[in-house]
Amino acid sequence: TAILLASGADGWVRAWSIHHKGGMLGQFRATQPDCGILVMVTDSNNDLLLTGDTAGYIKVWDIRRYCIKNPPPSNEKDEIIQSTFPFLNSDIGYVYNLKMRAMERKCTGGCNLPAGFDITQRGANLAAPPLLNSFRGHTRAVVGIQYLE
């Protein structure tokens, strides 16, 4: 199970296990090409991940089941999240998720994977968690996000 999320100038978010047999369990591109992630923050339950990038976009991801060995089953929280984030059911959300799936298929041959990264080992994952919302929060880079509950 991943307990550490890291990001960088390449626009990828990487999920790591700190167990001695762990390592990187998955990664996903959270930005458009040529953009980097400058800031990440989670809610107090670590259910939501918010990322801010160099193009000014803020994205909200559902990480409740991302790179977890025994993910929780569907529950009433799923309905709450879907009603809170209508982006999931919009045409824009649908098109974005199609683009992400196409990007995942292209990435099986490379996409700046770290040296020694074998996508067949340790259940490594190139799929992104569900994107709940995406909006342009600034015309320049987002350098800080504060999540208020």
Side-chain angles (χ1 to χ4, degrees):
T1 297
I3 64 163
L4 173 69
L5 294 175
S7 66
D10 59 358
W12 287 81
V13 173
R14 294 182 173 92
W16 296 86
S17 168
I18 61 168
H19 187 271
H20 70 285
K21 292 183 180 178
M24 188 167 69
L25 301 181
Q27 69 175 351
F28 65 95
R29 180 176 283 287
T31 64
Q32 297 297 321
D34 300 325
C35 291
I37 304 271
L38 293 179
V39 63
M40 295 193 312
V41 66
T42 64
D43 67 334
S44 61
N45 295 322
N46 292 322
D47 291 338
L48 304 175
L49 171 69
L50 287 82
T51 58
D53 67 28
T54 55
Y57 285 90
I58 297 171
K59 294 182 181 176
V60 183
W61 308 88
D62 180 359
I63 58 169
R64 292 175 297 146
R65 295 178 179 93
Y66 188 69
C67 290
I68 294 178
K69 187 174 184 177
N70 297 311
S74 297
N75 56 35
E76 67 277 352
K77 199 167 197 176
D78 294 337
E79 292 178 24
I80 294 169
I81 285 179
Q82 287 199 357
S83 65
T84 305
F85 294 98
F87 177 82
L88 278 176
N89 299 321
S90 71
D91 290 340
I92 295 170
Y94 176 75
V95 170
Y96 181 85
N97 284 318
L98 286 178
K99 284 183 179 180
M100 291 301 287
R101 299 300 163 259
M103 191 180 302
E104 289 163 17
R105 286 191 296 276
K106 289 180 186 174
C107 286
T108 56
C111 281
N112 299 326
L113 297 176
F117 183 73
D118 181 356
I119 63 173
T120 64
Q121 297 297 314
R122 293 182 297 213
N125 182 355
L126 287 173
L131 178 66
L132 301 176
N133 202 353
S134 176
F135 59 94
R136 189 141 198 206
H138 203 284
T139 56
R140 294 189 183 203
V142 175
V143 296
I145 298 175
Q146 198 168 31
Y147 182 79
L148 303 175
E149 296 185 56

